Amino acid sequence: MIEVKQLVKSFGPLTVLKGVTLTVEEKEVVVLLGASGSGKSTLLRCLNFLEFYDSGEIRIGGQQIDPHKTNLNQFRAEVGMVFQHFNLFPHKTVLENLIEAPVHVKGMNVAEAKQLAYELLKKVNMQDKADVYPDMLSGGQKQRVAIARALAMKPKIMLFDEPTSALDPELVGEVLQVMKQLAKEGMTMIVVTHEMGFAREVADRAVFMHDGQILEQGPPSEFFENPQHDRTKQFLGSIR
Amino acid sequence: MIIDIFLSSYPLFLKATWLTVQLTAVALMLGCVVGLVIAFFRISDNKVLNYIAHVYITVIRGTPLIVQICILYFGLANLVTLSQFWAGAIALAVHNGAYIAEIFRGAIQSIDRGQMEASRSLGMSYPLAMRRIILPQAFRRAIPSLGNQFIIGLKDSSLVAYVGMQDLWGTGLGEAASNYKQLETYMVVGLYYLVLIMIFSYFVNKLEARLARGKAPNKQAKDNTSVAA
C-alpha cells in the first residue's frame, strides 16, 4: 500500500531523515516509536506531503507520487491525517467541520455530506455535539471530532501524529478506543505515539526510529519482549 | 451661540455629512480590496510581489495624506479626468489600503499554521483553504484594528476639503469664512464627526461581541456545559 524508499529530508543544515525505507501493507497498523527528534513526525508529514522530501521515493497504491507532477490535493484527500493539536476549524461547528472537505473538495451535496457526518459522529460517539463549536469541547472530544473529520473524506490510509500527546491523561482512553475500533475495521494506519499499551495491543508492527533512520522493527510481541538494539532497549526502558 | 450656528447651518451640514459618509464608505471599501491584495503580495513566496508590496507600503506610509491627495488630484488631472469625488476616494483608498494591508497581513499570519495544514491534509487547495478557513478567522481577528483604521479613515477624509470638496470640513471652512464665527462653526463640525464615529463604533462593538469566540450565536453552544480543558 505504501512504499517509502531511501527518503532523505533536511531542514537547513539539519538532516532529519537519513534514508528511510518502509513498507506498509493494506490494513496494516504500524506504530512509529522513537525519541523526539528521531524523525518520526517528519516521516509522517512527508507521507502527506506537508513536507517535501529532498530525495527518495514514495509509492502509494503502486503509484509513484512526484510532488511536482501528481495532483497533491487529490492525493491528500485520500490520506487522512490527525494532528497532535487537533486543528479543528474554530469558526465552524462540529458538523460544519466534518462536511467542509466533502462538500468543497469532493463536491458532495450538503444533505449527503451531513448524513455521512452524522454517521461518523455516531461512530466516534460525538453525535450529541454536532452543532457545538470546537471551543466548547474537551481535548478528547476535539480529537474524536478530528478523526471523524478525516474519515469524512473516506481515506484509504490514516496517519496519526501523536494524537494523544496533548491530552489530559484521563482523556487519552476515549481517543485510543476510537483508533482501536478503526484498526479493527481494517483501516490502514500509521501512528506516531508514545502509548505503548496501544502499540502492544493494536499494532501489527512496531517501528523504532533513531536519528533519522529505522533502527529496528517487528511484531509488537517480539519488539517489546526482545529488542535487539541497545538504543531500543534504552528507549523502552525509559518509557516504562 | 453654537446652537444658533447649528440651527442655521444644519441643512448644509447634513448634505456635507452625507458626502463625507459616501466618500469614506467608497474609499474604505476600495481600501480593503487594495489592502487584501497587498497583504497577499506580502505573504506570497514571489519575490517580485513582495517587493511591490514593500515599496507600496513604504511610500504610502512615508508620505502625508494631504500630499497624496494633491498629487493625485492635480497630477492625474493631466492624464485622466477624475471627478473631485473619485480623486478623493481613490487617494483615500490608496492611503488606507497600505495600513489595511498590514492589518490583514498580521491577522492572516496570526492564524495557527495547523489550520492551513489541516485544510491541506483534507485535500483543499491553497486558495480554497485561504478562502474557507484562514480568511474568515483572520477577518474576525482583524475587526478591532480594522474598526480603528476606519475611524482614522473617516477623520482623514476631511483633508479632501483642500482640493475643493464640500465635505463636512470643506463646508465648515466655507461657513466659518462667511459668518466669521470660526470657533462655533468648527465646534459644530467636530460634533458631526463625533456623532458619526460614535454611531460607527457602536456597530463595530456589536459586531465584535457577536463574533466573540465561545459566544457563537447558537443555542446548543450556550446550553452546553462541558468546557475545554
Side-chain angles (χ1 to χ4, degrees):
Chain A
M1 186 97 195
I2 304 176
E3 286 171 76
V4 178
K5 273 184 201 156
Q6 287 302 319
L7 211 64
V8 175
K9 167 72 186 172
S10 307
F11 293 104
L14 186 70
T15 306
V16 181
L17 297 179
K18 299 173 180 170
V20 173
T21 299
L22 178 71
T23 307
V24 178
E25 301 299 334
E26 200 173 337
K27 299 194 174 186
E28 196 179 12
V29 177
V30 171
V31 165
L32 285 180
L33 305 171
S36 69
S38 59
K40 52 197 193 318
S41 279
T42 305
L43 175 60
L44 205 66
R45 292 164 62 82
C46 282
L47 288 177
N48 205 4
F49 295 91
L50 288 176
E51 305 285 357
F52 286 179
Y53 46 88
D54 303 327
S55 67
E57 198 178 294
I58 294 181
R59 282 174 177 276
I60 304 224
Q63 184 202 355
Q64 185 177 346
I65 312 291
D66 178 344
H68 302 289
K69 286 184 195 149
T70 312
N71 180 344
L72 286 182
N73 295 330
Q74 198 184 339
F75 164 76
R76 285 196 189 102
E78 294 172 1
V79 180
M81 178 117 181
V82 175
F83 300 85
Q84 183 178 355
H85 296 289
F86 332 122
N87 298 344
L88 292 178
F89 306 136
H91 60 307
K92 293 183 180 294
T93 64
V94 165
L95 187 70
E96 287 166 348
N97 264 274
L98 262 69
I99 67 171
E100 179 66 27
V103 170
H104 292 279
V105 176
K106 276 190 177 169
M108 194 185 275
N109 76 54
V110 174
E112 202 182 330
K114 278 188 179 169
Q115 199 191 335
L116 172 67
Y118 280 121
E119 280 167 28
L120 289 169
L121 286 176
K122 202 166 178 186
K123 187 170 175 167
V124 300
N125 200 18
M126 287 293 292
Q127 63 272 36
D128 301 338
K129 306 283 187 190
D131 298 316
V132 164
Y133 283 82
D135 275 1
M136 308 296 281
L137 303 176
S138 73
Q141 291 175 325
K142 281 182 192 169
Q143 197 59 299
R144 285 186 281 147
V145 171
I147 292 172
R149 180 177 68 176
L151 291 175
M153 290 301 280
K154 301 201 168 129
K156 295 176 182 141
I157 305 157
M158 284 285 281
L159 309 174
F160 293 84
D161 190 2
E162 304 204 20
T164 58
S165 299
L167 300 179
D168 287 344
E170 76 270 22
L171 301 177
V172 169
E174 62 192 63
V175 172
L176 292 182
Q177 195 53 46
V178 168
M179 290 167 63
K180 274 181 207 167
Q181 184 61 34
L182 261 187
K184 220 180 273 175
E185 288 167 12
M187 176 63 78
T188 308
M189 291 162 64
I190 304 181
V191 185
V192 171
T193 187
H194 296 294
E195 293 296 329
M196 295 303 145
F198 177 82
R200 280 166 188 270
E201 197 185 329
V202 182
D204 298 307
R205 183 153 46 115
V207 173
F208 180 70
M209 287 188 70
H210 176 63
D211 195 22
Q213 285 174 318
I214 292 176
L215 202 61
E216 186 169 349
Q217 54 180 309
S221 50
E222 283 173 34
F223 177 87
F224 287 106
E225 299 319 319
N226 192 16
Q228 300 300 307
H229 284 264
D230 286 346
R231 191 65 198 85
T232 317
K233 286 174 194 164
Q234 200 185 337
F235 174 77
L236 291 175
S238 70
I239 292 270
R240 281 167 194 156
Chain B
M1 282 292 286
I2 292 181
I3 194 80
D4 300 325
I5 300 280
F6 181 82
L7 289 174
S8 66
S9 64
Y10 79 87
L12 206 57
F13 275 126
L14 282 182
K15 215 177 125 205
T17 303
W18 178 231
L19 180 62
T20 288
V21 168
Q22 279 179 300
L23 179 73
T24 309
V26 170
L28 290 177
M29 269 190 271
L30 286 176
C32 280
V33 175
V34 172
L36 197 56
V37 170
I38 297 296
F40 278 126
F41 280 16
R42 274 212 66 169
I43 58 177
S44 150
D45 290 331
N46 186 316
K47 288 270 185 309
V48 179
L49 297 182
N50 284 168
Y51 188 71
I52 292 172
H54 180 71
V55 170
Y56 180 84
I57 291 169
T58 306
V59 170
I60 297 300
R61 285 205 305 199
T63 54
L65 175 56
I66 185 68
V67 175
Q68 292 163 13
I69 290 173
C70 289
I71 289 176
L72 206 80
Y73 187 67
F74 297 109
L76 284 189
N78 299 327
L79 304 171
V80 283
T81 13
L82 274 178
S83 70
Q84 254 179 355
F85 181 85
W86 283 103
I90 291 171
L92 290 170
V94 164
H95 181 80
N96 283 287
Y99 292 91
I100 293 170
E102 287 294 88
I103 292 171
F104 280 154
R105 179 185 65 88
I108 291 169
Q109 287 180 336
S110 79
I111 303 299
D112 185 72
R113 213 166 55 113
Q115 291 289 308
M116 181 53 91
E117 289 185 350
S119 310
R120 301 306 300 274
S121 81
L122 289 166
M124 298 171 84
S125 64
Y126 180 88
L128 182 66
M130 207 23 117
R131 186 164 61 80
R132 299 275 320 165
I133 306 301
I134 308 298
L135 284 182
Q137 296 182 57
F139 275 129
R140 281 176 202 209
R141 217 168 270 190
I143 283 171
S145 315
L146 218 48
N148 200 34
Q149 184 58 40
F150 281 15
I151 287 172
I152 295 172
L154 173 63
K155 291 187 290 185
D156 282 356
S157 73
S158 56
L159 289 173
V160 298
Y162 295 102
V163 293
M165 269 185 95
Q166 292 302 305
D167 72 326
L168 258 178
W169 183 235
T171 305
L173 287 176
E175 279 296 281
S178 61
N179 66 16
Y180 300 110
K181 296 216 166 31
Q182 277 85 356
L183 179 63
E184 290 89 338
T185 308
Y186 295 156
M187 285 175 83
V188 168
V189 174
L191 199 66
Y192 278 98
Y193 279 109
L194 182 63
V195 170
L196 276 184
I197 282 162
M198 282 168 68
I199 293 169
F200 176 75
S201 300
Y202 172 78
F203 284 112
V204 173
N205 288 339
K206 274 195 98 166
L207 185 66
E208 247 182 272
R210 225 183 69 180
L211 293 178
R213 281 154 60 92
K215 274 196 202 167
N218 183 303
K219 270 186 198 160
Q220 263 162 294
K222 270 180 202 157
D223 297 342
N224 193 295
T225 44
S226 76
V227 173

